[in-house]
Every structure is written in C-alpha cells, then in structure tokens.
Amino acid sequence: MILDILFPNRCLGCNCIISADLLVCELCFGRIDFIHSGYFDDIFIKEKCRLLFPVENTFALMQFDKKNLSRKIIHELKYKSREKAGEILAEWAIERLDFKDQKPDLLVSVPLHPKKLKERGYNQLHLFTEKLSEFYGIPFDHDLIKRNQYSKAQALKNRQHRVKTEHVFSIIKSITEKNILIIDDVFTTGNTIASIAWEILNAGNNTVNVLVMAVDT
C-alpha cells in the first residue's frame, strides 16, 4: 500500500496514474494498434511464415512499430521486470482469439537460454502462455524446446545477425502427431520461429501454428 502511494503505477501512454493491474489508461488503450484479423485469416504473418516453413494458422495481437504504444508495452514486459504484463496481454488476446473447433494440442513458447533466463529472472512468454492454457484448456510445455546458443537481445542485433538461427534450438522430448501452437513476443524476420517450427516438423508427423504478441509489418 505504501509503495503504491510512493511509486504509483502509471500509464505507458500518457503517464497518468492508473490501477496497479493495468498497463494503460482507458484513453490510451484506444491508441493500441490491435490487428483485427482472426486465427484462420490469411494475413501478413501467415504469408511470411509460409515463405519459411509449412504453417496451418497464425494470430498476431498487435502491430509493432518503433513509435507506437505496442513497442512500449512489449519492452516493459521484456526489459522492465513487468512479468505480470504477460497476463494482461493474454487477456487481450483471449478477447480476440477464437480457435473454433480446431484448438491446438499443445502450447509451446520460445525458450530463453539458461544464462539469459538467469539474467532476466523470468521468461516473458510463460505467464502469457499459461493464461491461454488455463482459459482454453490446452496443455503447455515449457521444456519441450531447448535453446542451445546464448545471444544478446534481438533489439540489439542487426538484421544480418538475426537470420543466423540454424541449430539454435533442439527438441528434448519425443513428440509426434501433434498440432502445436508456437508462441513468441515479436515477429520480425520470422527466423526464430522458423527454426523452432522445423525442429517440431522434423520430429514427427506434427503440424505447427503461430501466435505472437506483436508483428513488425
């Protein structure tokens, strides 16, 4: 209570004081560039994925741009120790995401290297994934995929470096004939997701789908 008074939660958009369980005020919420396309629609992210690997369905919650509010929200989640922001983003996704009668069998989020996980203290995708799992009744597995290489933040890399994702990930459990949803924060080149997708596809008769918090168009 005292900390709330001394250090009140402020809107990421306009800096006004808001409830501790919010990211933005009601006015700034209307400024977020949500993507109004469904899970089964043919949109930019699906087209990009299909150039890299076979994908069934895709969903992106927001557009990501250096100057818009979604960038501030994602950076707050990843770099400002706002792990709980993942739950809020999941609630926004749930309001817009309908699997209809084609729910995935398993949710898998992009893993961090153990060294990066220790540095950050949490994987920014875990609470988001767990919230979706609870709501839709779809199991998740945070340990299916292992990141083999430690690397600096994607935001600090140049484009040429970002495409070098071969052998970055490996599957450490047997998995076959599953319809898997891969979850990531920001879709840029798509190479990170593609690396994971091919590991899953090559592991057995699996299919893959993609869900991201934001897509850089």
Side-chain angles (χ1 to χ4, degrees), residues 78 107-113 117 120 122-126 128-129 141-147 154 168-169 181-187 190-197 200 210-212:
K78 294 181 68 173
L107 307 182
V108 175
S109 56
V110 175
L112 296 178
H113 187 273
L117 182 61
R120 185 172 295 169
Y122 61 95
N123 183 315
Q124 72 275 8
L125 299 172
H126 282 184
F128 180 90
T129 301
D141 191 339
H142 293 325
D143 301 315
L144 176 67
I145 305 293
K146 175 185 176 183
R147 185 184 285 264
Q154 287 285 332
V168 172
F169 302 98
L181 179 63
I182 304 171
I183 297 174
D184 201 1
D185 44 36
V186 180
F187 185 100
N191 287 289
T192 295
I193 289 178
S195 180
I196 292 175
I200 292 172
V210 170
L211 186 158
V212 295

